[in-house]
Every structure is written in C-alpha cells, then in structure tokens.
Amino acid sequence: MPATCVIGLQWGDEAKGKIVDLLTAQFDVVVRYQGGANAGHTVVVGDQTYKLHHVPSGILNPGVMNVVGPGVVVNPATLLKEIQSLLDRQIPVGGNMLLSDRAHVGFPWHIVEDQARNESTADGENIGTTLRGIGPCYRDKVGRSHAFRLGDLYRPDFREKVQRVVEAKKTLLSGWKNARVDSLDAAEIHAEYHGYAERLRPFVGDSTAYLLDAVEAGKRVLFEGAQGSLLDVDHGTYPFVTGSNSSGGGVSAGSGVPGRCSNQVIGVAKAYTTRVGGGPFPTELHDETGVRIRELGREYGTTTGRPRRCGGFDAVAVRYTARLSGIDVISLMMMDVLSHLPEIKVCVAYDLDGQRIRHFPSHVDDLRRVKPIYETIPGWNQDVSGAKTAADLPSGAKAYLARIAELVGRPVAIASVGPGRAQTIMME
C-alpha cells in the first residue's frame, strides 16, 4: 500500500517541510494530521521561501491534493491569511485542498487561556507554548462539552453554542489573575467565525472518507508530521511537550487511515539538536559553539521567531524516537552547518547517577539529571553546500553519516546540505 510517513525525531524544527516538498512529486495526496498553527514548515523553492503553518507542504506542487486531517487544530484567521499569502504568490489553492469537518477549531478563549497560563508560570520554567491556544483547544477536545469541530460552524445552533461556551469560559477563567475575559464577546465572536466559516466552506468536507477511498484506490499518500517525536504528549519529555501525538503513533489517529496502509516511515533529524521553550536538553551547548550553530543554521522559530536552544547530536534520544515511530530510514538535515566546526561531539550514552545508560528516561526529572557521554568526531572543514552526490562529500562527512546510522540503528538515506531543493543528496 503506497503510503509514506515523514516524522520528526527531535524536538521539532527538523526541516520536515523540505523533505515533504522534495518527495511530493512522487505522491497524489499530502496529509497534515496533527498540530496547529504552532507548527511551522519552511520550504525553499529556487529563490522563493515559503513559511507554512496549516497548509500541507504539498501545496507547492501542482496536481497534488492537500488534506488537513481530523487531528489538526485549525485557527481560521491564520489559515485564511496563509491561503491568501499563497494566492498572492501565484500558488493555486482551491480544489487541491480539503479540510476535515472533524478538525477542531481554535477560538479566542483558547488564546486567553494560553496566555493566562503562560503568565502564571512566568517565574518558573515555561513549557514554551507558542501562545496560539493549541493546548487549550486540545484540552477542550478531550473535555468535549466546550469543543467545536469545523463542521459545527455550519450547524443551525452555532450561535447559541458560542453564547453558551463564552459564558462558561468567562466563569471558568474569571478566577485567573491574568485572564483577559473582558475581550470575549459572544456576538462578536460568532459574527467573526461565521464569516470565516463561509470563506472556508469550499474546502470543508469528510477527509476521512476521502482518504480511505484514496488508499483503497491505490493512490500514493504522504503523511506530513508537525513538531517532533520528543514533543509527543504521551511519549515525549512531558510536561514540556505539545498537545498532540507528534510521533509516528499519531498518524492513524490524526488522519483516520489505518497504520497498516503505510509501507515506509522516514525519520527526519538535524545533524545536531535544537529545541524551543523550557524542559531538559542534555546536549545543550551554552558556549561559543552553541551560539555559532544558531547563527550558521539560522535557528530561529518559523512560527514565533524565538531563538532556538542548540546542542550536539543526541543519539540516545534519536534512537529512542526512531524505534518509537518505527522509522525505516533517516533523513539527516543541516550537514552544511557542521562543516564550519573543527570537531563534532555526539552523545552516545547518558550517565544517570553514576550509571551508564543508552535508554531515554521516561521521567523529565531523570532526564534533567543525566550527563551526556560524548564521542568526539573530527570535523571536515570543507563546504558541502554544493555537493550533489554522496561521492562529492568529504570523507569526514561520510564518516559522520555512517556513525549516526550506526548509533541510531537505521540507515541514513537522505543528507541535506542546504535549504534548497537541489541541496539534497540521496545516499547510496
């Protein structure tokens, strides 16, 4: 069954969008199945850079259907702005995109709650939310009574439900010191979202039925993950995680397509490690090398612009997520950044209270205590951004790729040496 999944293996920002864009020409359908406007995929095509948050990266390829599945949280204003931005740049968006009527919708009260919670923890370690209301929306999804799915916006009781939920949210949030409940006006919110619903109406439908028909018809489907496996709400560095299953386990639940329909899983990782927000980061570099990686890799968030924390490659973490998501091959990104380092440290194990371990701790307190055990690999001190084939890579770069594959237990099938489509090497 010709379906492929692209999964991030770190804390997100692994350049999954580039790999999806690169592969899309081989597929009929691209599916975004979880996350919301808190995700950002940057795709470089020629001299043009596209920053996508809701719309699947396949939108940049003609003839491909782009599906936003039931597991995604949709912010209508952000989505409409993104669609208009693509249209302004002559990228067609119309019959080539389908929004699931089961996808949940973010509302202003979710942002109010997100901001209030963030401010209430300002003196402690912040989870790192993008303040887009994604987590509170997922919370309502599970709670059920205050949730809206996209299809609900077209029901005759939409106005009454908005009124009821606004009243309930004001009551719930009024005890929060920093909750700006005065900004929540039911009539204004209904009018605003009714307008959004009408503009989105041509895109909305039953994506689950569409995808099940597609796989049964033998169409080639590419599933595009958002965030990274270490941010998975169940299997990541909880509570410093996102609100959805961002590992391979989320593909079926977020799309409605059974897992047995996938025949290949590609895990995407940077040649080093980054993360945004709070939480433990064993290989984080607080020195000049960490700063240099940030500047060379332009490590600033696509969604928020926040500087990313940078560190060495953590093979313990990536081996864990590779197994968790059932990946077949690795796509190792940003190799060009490491070209400027005289030596490269790779974490091959952890020291936890004097014991050497190779498993990724399940509790955040244990992960906070580990000390990385490094292996130092010589740098290659040679620009690789122009390499076209594996043979073009210096021996040091090839040795690095081989060692990563050995430590993770999966072959490196793709090596990225720059942001452009052409700066991608299919390894032999």
Side-chain angles (χ1 to χ4, degrees), residues 369-399:
R369 295 203 317 278
V370 303
K371 297 177 182 177
I373 297 174
Y374 287 112
E375 177 179 302
T376 301
I377 299 175
W380 44 92
N381 293 310
Q382 181 178 334
D383 182 18
V384 297
S385 61
K388 302 298 182 184
T389 68
D392 297 332
L393 292 172
S395 58
K398 287 187 278 192

Side-chain angles (χ1 to χ4, degrees), residues 64-316:
V64 174
M65 174 59 80
N66 296 269
V67 176
V68 176
V72 175
V73 165
V74 173
N75 181 310
T78 303
L79 175 55
L80 286 164
K81 183 178 179 180
E82 189 172 337
I83 291 171
Q84 188 58 53
S85 175
L86 290 165
L87 292 172
D88 290 344
R89 300 175 70 177
Q90 310 305 310
I91 303 297
V93 185
N96 59 346
M97 189 169 74
L98 174 62
L99 307 177
S100 173
D101 57 2
R102 293 177 169 90
H104 280 253
V105 180
F107 278 82
W109 53 77
H110 295 130
I111 296 175
V112 169
E113 181 177 345
D114 211 355
Q115 292 173 342
R117 284 181 180 273
N118 183 70
E119 291 177 18
S120 70
T121 60
D123 294 333
E125 188 172 15
N126 195 284
I127 288 176
T129 172
T130 58
L131 304 180
R132 300 302 200 269
I134 309 301
C137 186
Y138 276 122
R139 188 178 299 113
D140 279 351
K141 173 182 177 177
V142 176
R144 299 180 295 281
S145 60
H146 296 152
F148 288 82
R149 300 202 297 183
L150 195 52
D152 295 333
L153 276 58
Y154 303 97
R155 297 292 169 172
D157 64 344
F158 177 45
R159 182 192 299 271
E160 290 73 18
K161 187 174 180 180
V162 169
Q163 180 68 46
R164 174 169 54 82
V165 173
V166 167
E167 291 173 359
K169 287 293 183 179
K170 283 187 172 182
T171 300
L172 288 169
L173 296 173
S174 60
W176 291 51
K177 178 180 177 182
N178 300 309
R180 299 171 180 86
V181 295
D182 292 342
S183 65
L184 302 177
D185 182 280
E188 291 181 0
I189 292 172
H190 172 264
E192 179 183 358
Y193 276 70
H194 175 73
Y196 294 151
E198 290 307 308
R199 293 171 63 189
L200 290 173
R201 186 185 288 272
F203 303 106
V204 178
D206 188 345
S207 69
T208 304
Y210 173 85
L211 289 173
L212 292 174
D213 287 345
V215 295
E216 288 181 357
K219 289 190 176 181
R220 301 161 298 172
V221 181
L222 180 62
F223 294 97
E224 174 186 42
Q227 286 92 32
S229 296
L230 291 174
L231 293 175
D232 187 286
V233 68
D234 291 313
H235 304 287
T237 51
Y238 191 89
F240 301 95
V241 293
T242 192
S244 59
N245 288 115
S246 51
S247 68
V251 177
S252 182
S255 68
V257 177
R260 68 184 185 88
C261 294
S262 298
N263 63 355
Q264 185 182 43
V265 183
I266 299 173
V268 185
K270 286 177 178 171
Y272 47 92
T273 311
T274 64
R275 80 170 300 176
V276 174
F281 182 176
T283 64
E284 183 172 10
L285 295 172
H286 299 280
D287 57 11
E288 183 181 340
T289 300
V291 174
R292 195 175 185 193
I293 289 174
R294 180 184 298 120
E295 296 307 314
L296 289 170
R298 300 172 295 281
E299 294 294 352
Y300 297 88
T302 302
T303 300
T304 63
R306 291 178 295 180
R308 296 172 184 145
R309 299 158 64 189
C310 298
F313 187 87
D314 189 336
V316 178

Side-chain angles (χ1 to χ4, degrees), residues 4 6 17 20-21 23-33 41 54-61 63-69 96-98 210-211 220-225:
T4 294
V6 175
V20 171
D21 173 67
L23 297 174
T24 295
Q26 305 171 32
F27 293 86
D28 303 303
V29 185
V30 176
V31 185
R32 169 79 183 278
Y33 57 87
H41 289 164
H54 280 96
V55 179
S57 302
I59 202 71
L60 302 175
N61 289 262
V64 174
M65 174 59 80
N66 296 269
V67 176
V68 176
N96 59 346
M97 189 169 74
L98 174 62
Y210 173 85
L211 289 173
R220 301 161 298 172
V221 181
L222 180 62
F223 294 97
E224 174 186 42

